[in-house]
Structures are given as structure tokens and as C-alpha cells.
Amino acid sequence: MSAPPRPLPRSGVGVLDKASTVLSVIENGPVSLAELVERSGLARPTAHRIAVALERLGLLTRDFEGRFVLGPRLGSLSVEAQQDRLVQAALPVLDGLAADTGLDARLFRRRGARQVCVASSPAHPSKDPVPVGACLPLTSGPVAQVLLAWEEPEQLYEGLRGARFTAAQLAAVRQRYWAFGPDTAAGATLSCAVPVQPRIGRVMAALALSGPAARVGERPRRLLGSSLVDAAAVLGDTLRRAHAEFVPEAATTR
């Protein structure tokens, strides 16, 4: 059974607080109406009314089993909210990767049970690009493996539900620091992904290169030595510097 939703800030507007509760439950993964009622503590008619209204707004949608999941509009909203230093720093890095390799370069972040493309190289060599704002399930592909591999055991177990990879595969990703395989975000392509880590053990994002199999080849190490790993290290250093520059005043006086 999933953990109950964490305490949420309250706006004082009842319907908004209830909508926030519904979203906080569903961000942990797909839920049926019965599960939503149980985990949210809302009355069934209320939970149903709010979930359907959020679905109409594109903030929720349904999976193939009819369960509620986060909707595509949240991907676009999260991109707007994440125009932070990481995304800004990623743009020239992604541009350089695309120019050096001739492949699509993208940055993904995790949002609950979804992977969201938050930045992309300006030029798309592929015919099937993944746009910024694309919100995809965290169940398959190298990016999903990288975003899940360093999670705590309980969250890792939850993330493996319905996934097309195993705990053993994620352990291998942690050991070698990259994942490689079919790119589920774009058809008929291969992808190699590495973690962006501001500190060891914490993954802020996944940096990925993808393209047609003939161009990527079957040897991902070729992409890792002087390109993808180095680029991820640059972004990790940017995050560490940003954190060092922002030290709360109270912390300096203790």
C-alpha cells in the first residue's frame, strides 16, 4: 500500500485545497476512483467531481485501465515553473552535444510517476523529436531507469510497479552510471542516458542522447567518454555552485 500523501499547504479556498489533495495522491502513480477516495479522505462524489474536472482541464487523464494519472498539461506547466538555473545552464550544453554527436540531446526531470522533457537541443536531427513539455510514463526506457535508479528502496519499489525493467537492471545502472536501450519517448530510436547529480546519491535530472540505431550504434561507451558524462558533470557542478552561492543568513550565524 502506498504511503499517505504528505501534509499540504492550505489556501483557505476549499475546492482548491481538495484539488491539491487529489493531485498529491495521483502524483504517486495511477489510481482508481476507489483508491483515490481511500487515500484522499474525500467523499466519493467529491473525489469523482474534482478528478473529472481536472481531467477536463488536462491536468489529469486516464490510463488504459481507466485509472487517473497526471495529464499532459502538467508537463507544460512544470516546464514553465522550472526555468531555473539548471535549465538555463543546460541549453548551451545540449546545443554542444547535438553539434558534436549529430544526435538529439535532451534533459529530463521526474515529476511523480512521470518523466518530463524540460530542455532540448535547438536543432532536432531526428524526424520524431520529443518536444519540451512532453510528459511520459516512468515505466520504460533509459531515462526512466536513470531517474529511478538512485531512489530510496521504498520509492524504488513503487517505481518498479508496471515497469518494463527490473531492480537488477537498476542496480546495474547505479554501478556503471548510465543506461542504454530503445528510446520509448521517440519511435525507432536508441538512447543513452546519464544522471545529473548535484551531490552523490541525489539525481536532479537525466541527460540523454538519442537517435536512429544506425547512428547511435550498439556501443554506448563511445558516447560516454568525452561527451555525455562530461556534460552531465558540468551541469552537476552548476547546481553545486548555485547551492553554495545561496546560503541562508541564519546558517552563517550559528
Side-chain angles (χ1 to χ4, degrees), residues 149-190:
W150 281 266
E151 288 289 359
E152 295 296 327
E154 182 177 346
Q155 294 186 346
L156 190 64
Y157 174 78
E158 290 293 328
L160 285 170
R161 291 186 178 182
R164 298 178 186 175
F165 43 79
T166 65
Q169 287 175 286
L170 295 185
V173 170
R174 288 194 300 273
Q175 184 175 17
R176 65 178 180 247
Y177 266 72
W178 53 265
F180 178 74
D183 185 355
T184 56
T189 62
L190 293 176

Side-chain angles (χ1 to χ4, degrees), residues 150 177 197-203 240:
W150 281 266
Y177 266 72
Q197 295 178 296
R199 63 175 184 267
I200 295 176
R202 182 189 179 195
V203 174
R240 281 189 288 273

Side-chain angles (χ1 to χ4, degrees), residues 23-42:
L23 289 170
S24 73
V25 171
I26 296 173
E27 73 175 345
N28 293 315
V31 295
S32 65
L33 178 59
E35 291 170 328
L36 178 59
V37 170
E38 178 184 357
R39 298 177 194 178
S40 69
L42 299 172

Side-chain angles (χ1 to χ4, degrees), residues 5 11 52 57 120 122 181 184 193 198 201 203 211 225 230 236 243:
S11 68
V52 169
L57 293 173
S120 178
T184 56
V203 174
D230 288 348
H243 179 74

Side-chain angles (χ1 to χ4, degrees), residues 81-149:
Q82 290 299 327
Q83 295 302 315
D84 54 12
R85 194 170 298 197
L86 172 62
V87 173
Q88 294 302 317
L91 296 178
V93 172
L94 295 173
D95 194 11
L97 278 174
D100 291 343
T101 65
L103 302 174
D104 289 310
R106 301 185 184 90
L107 186 73
F108 291 83
R109 297 193 69 173
R110 182 181 178 186
R111 292 290 176 269
R114 315 287 284 182
Q115 52 179 304
V116 180
C117 179
V118 296
S120 178
S121 54
H124 295 286
S126 74
K127 295 181 180 180
D128 188 18
V130 177
V132 172
C135 190
L136 307 161
L138 201 69
T139 54
S140 61
V143 168
Q145 292 177 41
V146 165
L147 290 175
L148 280 174

Side-chain angles (χ1 to χ4, degrees), residues 43-67:
R44 185 182 181 91
T46 301
H48 181 263
R49 175 171 54 84
I50 291 175
V52 169
L54 291 172
E55 184 180 11
R56 292 195 187 108
L57 293 173
L59 300 175
L60 296 181
T61 188
R62 309 278 187 120
D63 65 9
F64 66 93
E65 294 181 9
R67 298 175 300 180

